[in-house]
Amino acid sequence: MQFIRAFAIACLVLCNSIYAQTPKKLSSTAIHHELEKLNFLGTALYVAAHPDDENTRLISYLANETKARTAYLSLTRGDGGQNLIGAELRELLGVLRTQELLAARRVDGGEQRFTRANDFGYSKHPNETLEIWDKEKVLGDVVWAIRNLRPDVIINRFDHRTPGSTHGHHTSSAMLSFEAFDLVNNPNAYSNQLVNTAIWQPRRLYFNTNWWFYGSRENFEKADKSKMSKLDVGVYYPDLGVSNNEIASLASSQHLCQGFGRISTRGSQDEYIEHIKGIEAKDKSNIFDGIDTSWSRVKGGKAVGEILYEVEKNFNFRNPAIHIPRLVEAYRLLQKVEDKHWREFKSNHLKEIILACSGLYIEANATASSATSNETIKINIEALNRSTTKVSLHTVTIENTTASLNPNLNLTANKKENLELELTIPNKTNTSAPYWLNEKGSLGMYKVNDDALIGKPETPPAFIADFELDFDGTTINFKKPIVYHYSKPDKGEIYEPFAILPEVTSSFKDDVILFADAKTKEVTLAVRAGKNTISGKVSLNHPSGWTVNPSSIDFSIAQKNDVQSVSFKVTPTSGESEGVISPSIIINGKTYTKKLVEINYDHVPKQSILLPSETKVVRLNIQKSGNNIGYIVGAGDKVPESLEQIGYNVQLIDVASIQEGSLSKYDGIVLGIRAYNVVEELKFKQTYLLDYVKNGGNLIIQYNTAGRWRNQFENIAPYPISISRDRVTNENAEVEIIAKRHSLINFPNTITKNDFDGWVQERGLYFPNEWSKEFTPILSMNDKGETPKTGSLLVAPYGKGNYIYTGLSFFRELPAGVSGAYKLFANMLSIGKENLQTENEIKGK
């Protein structure tokens, strides 16, 4: 379900994707708004690098004021970012951010496209970015998107002329768009694409500039604007009852995992676009100047336009159904238009308007949220004509199956028709998981074997119901994805995608299992049934030198979605080593190896992701001092679970419950990532945290985002410290230990340079760049060509305890099973306890 406010706007703005689950219910004014868009034959493409890079003000303006078909091409899905609302990272975060983009487009009226580029993390220069991405493939994907969308106008979010001044992904997106502008019209460029598309030449290319790119508002005021167009994107839409920037704010607020929830804005607001390439518009206030955006643009379109312009001009807001005969006539004429691109796109749009005008509601609802190959499931069909228009339902067929109905029903005004059919899922039906994750890609690229899927925002629906309707002698087919439609007492009405899943999936509780010694551990695997009555045998694949007993276990599960746990005894090697344990589940001779991960937030549709089921096992000689650790959750991470792996008793602390003396029971307290950015109540409890340190406690603060304080904290530390945007993005950057004798490096584990081997994505981010003399910097590191950064790990004694601030990305390294990260974190929690351990040893404890 969508948030209520976002859903209200989404109901007004028609999205052309059939993938959105919640049915659109357009008011008369919204239908008229869509007619205006139907009668505009122009396309704009906005290009940037990540989810949340897009300018929703401009996208909404182009879609709703200009009335152009408007799409956002995000080169990546945002896998490399952080997550403010949950623990999803990497590929799971990419799935979540994909859906947040789609939610934003359902609000602002745009469409969404992608390339195969993987967001591998922050990059400081496009040279690095394009080397990791495989420039030729990503450029080809940009060319593919442009050739398929055929935009007249392209707008880049970033400046291709300033490499190294911002995120390398950002500049790369503009550079690739700039290069693709001419390539798309070259038949020798990516000629293999021309089997399924055609060459195209956009008319003009813009850069969506603003004062930020000039360093200050003052500099921007002085800048030469002779090549710029100024657009007031604060326009008010009386037919929608909202202003453009209100829609844009709601669209942007869908990026919740990135902390983009915001209050809506209203009033005049200027956007600037700088002409970069192509034919410059004479009328700078109209980016489609000189481009025929009427129905006369396409051969055979004039006759279609004559009808649709008349309907738009004389639209009956009280009874839109009166226009059905003329709309159907326009549809018949549209099918004769030779231009396949415009014929297909405008036909789909027109069909949605016909449905809305007639008040037709058609739905195919599965009786379960998922099914497996060869399983038979019941589909409930609902058809309702809420007008006096003469409509009959001829057939309902499920595409690519034999399931069908031939009711030949006249749909009487406001009489609901409920039908049923049985769908047997064909053998070898593809699962519903995100298509770009079906096979393992590289650091910089997703692997997609089916070229037809490249660029699509999500995996097409598992099954589509085709409703053949007759409008007084004219047959029109309407396609609706099969959904799972139900209600919950605490949620209300819910629409979910209908998913095709394997017969069985399995998962380990932990992504990493640490063995601090050579003792055997019991490892439990949860086996989940995808259908009723399954049985088989499960075994574990394991690294060389490790042993697993028993060799296999039989299982039997009677009910679909039920879970049975099976346990194995795993014995590691005597010395340090690491590897992967993965299950093999055999049912009737077929092997299953996947785990099912579900993402289910209120602002996006439920997602079912299938990934390899595995856990990293690490035999690690690690020492620690102390036992009870308090953890204050920030933006969400898996650090608490990781600390439990090395034997700590971790308790989550409710910030509201913190009071004087309540923290003394902890041997150490850790604040989760971005805690000061997101936990408002910390400003009232900071005194107690610092008192805890003063009285002998260890307090570890993980990174916070500079400039995004939820409150103006003046004392996040007991001494002055300034958080910057400094970061080291190369996970293999050389690390120098500059405080070699400090206990943080020597107790209870000796830390060496080798402990920084195998780190993932980055060394760290948002390092302090200024601090008082009380702090001791422990490490030095830097990216190529940069000065050394010494703020990644700072420690200061305060009273009887120790305060530690670290920008090292433990939130990525610990869940990835990086041995050195575990040792270093154990040392941070053990600081100051050297004498206590010696005393205990003397006493024989």
Side-chain angles (χ1 to χ4, degrees), residues 295-349:
W295 277 102
S296 297
R297 177 174 191 165
V298 296
K299 184 180 179 181
K302 184 178 179 181
V304 179
E306 287 176 352
I307 296 173
L308 295 177
Y309 291 137
E310 183 270 331
V311 172
E312 178 191 331
K313 180 180 178 180
N314 300 299
F315 188 70
N316 188 322
F317 289 88
R318 293 186 62 86
N319 183 21
I322 200 172
H323 300 294
I324 294 297
R326 292 289 279 165
L327 292 174
V328 170
E329 182 182 354
Y331 178 82
R332 286 199 304 269
L333 292 173
L334 182 53
Q335 304 319 297
K336 300 176 182 179
V337 168
E338 294 180 8
D339 190 320
K340 180 181 177 182
H341 172 80
W342 285 115
R343 182 181 70 244
E344 291 184 353
F345 175 69
K346 289 300 182 180
S347 290
N348 289 333
H349 198 172

Side-chain angles (χ1 to χ4, degrees), residues 650-758:
V650 182
Q651 299 177 24
L652 301 184
I653 298 175
D654 178 7
V655 174
S657 69
I658 296 176
Q659 54 187 317
E660 186 175 357
S662 65
L663 305 176
S664 59
K665 60 185 177 180
Y666 297 113
D667 297 312
I669 293 176
V670 182
L671 268 66
I673 59 173
R674 300 174 70 180
Y676 288 113
N677 297 139
V678 300
V679 184
E680 186 170 355
E681 203 160 6
L682 271 176
K683 69 178 180 179
F684 305 115
K685 306 297 182 178
Q686 182 70 3
T687 299
Y688 300 126
L689 290 173
L690 295 182
D691 284 346
Y692 164 77
V693 181
K694 186 185 294 185
N695 293 326
N698 286 340
L699 180 64
I700 299 172
I701 312 297
Q702 296 183 85
Y703 94 93
N704 286 268
T705 307
R708 291 190 182 180
W709 303 108
R710 189 165 180 83
N711 302 284
Q712 295 302 312
F713 284 97
E714 297 179 358
N715 63 333
I716 67 163
Y719 311 111
I721 189 173
S722 177
I723 311 301
S724 73
R725 300 184 69 85
D726 288 351
R727 63 204 302 161
V728 175
T729 61
N730 182 356
E731 63 269 33
N732 298 313
E734 186 174 354
V735 176
E736 181 184 357
I737 299 173
I738 57 178
K740 293 182 174 63
R741 296 187 178 182
H742 199 284
S743 63
L744 201 90
I745 294 299
N746 296 286
F747 177 82
N749 305 286
T750 300
I751 304 299
T752 70
K753 283 190 174 183
N754 293 338
D755 289 307
F756 294 93
D757 293 343

